[in-house]
Amino acid sequence: MADSIRQMKFDIGLGDTSATVDVELMMALLSMKQFRLLSAYGGKTAIREAQQAINRGYKNYTGIIPMMACTGVK
């Protein structure tokens, strides 16, 4: 379970690698948003990395996860 939480945080683009689940992460977990690269649907790594950087920067600045999907799809 802990590894899955760490993987999700990595996929979202968060710098926190702990297995702690806070309210924002629970909301992301229960949402229908995708946080994995969807290369089969045209997802590109560069776009995904930009989406992750936005999530990471927003979390660091505001303390909450913006829950931008990180699929690599425009």
Side-chain angles (χ1 to χ4, degrees):
M1 180 70 95
D3 289 339
S4 298
I5 298 299
R6 287 186 189 98
Q7 182 63 47
M8 184 174 179
K9 286 182 173 184
F10 175 80
D11 290 338
I12 292 172
L14 303 179
D16 176 18
T17 58
S18 72
T20 303
V21 177
D22 58 11
V23 174
E24 288 86 17
L25 189 64
M26 181 58 75
M27 196 164 45
L29 185 61
L30 297 174
S31 77
M32 295 299 292
K33 294 187 179 180
Q34 296 288 326
F35 297 106
R36 301 296 300 243
L37 178 65
L38 298 179
S39 55
Y41 295 95
K44 304 208 179 315
T45 302
I47 294 172
R48 180 172 188 252
E49 288 172 355
Q51 291 167 330
Q52 289 174 321
I54 290 168
N55 282 347
R56 185 171 37 259
Y58 192 85
K59 169 74 172 165
N60 290 341
Y61 184 72
T62 65
I64 59 173
I65 301 171
M67 293 200 323
M68 171 185 276
C70 297
T71 60
V73 179
K74 294 181 192 179

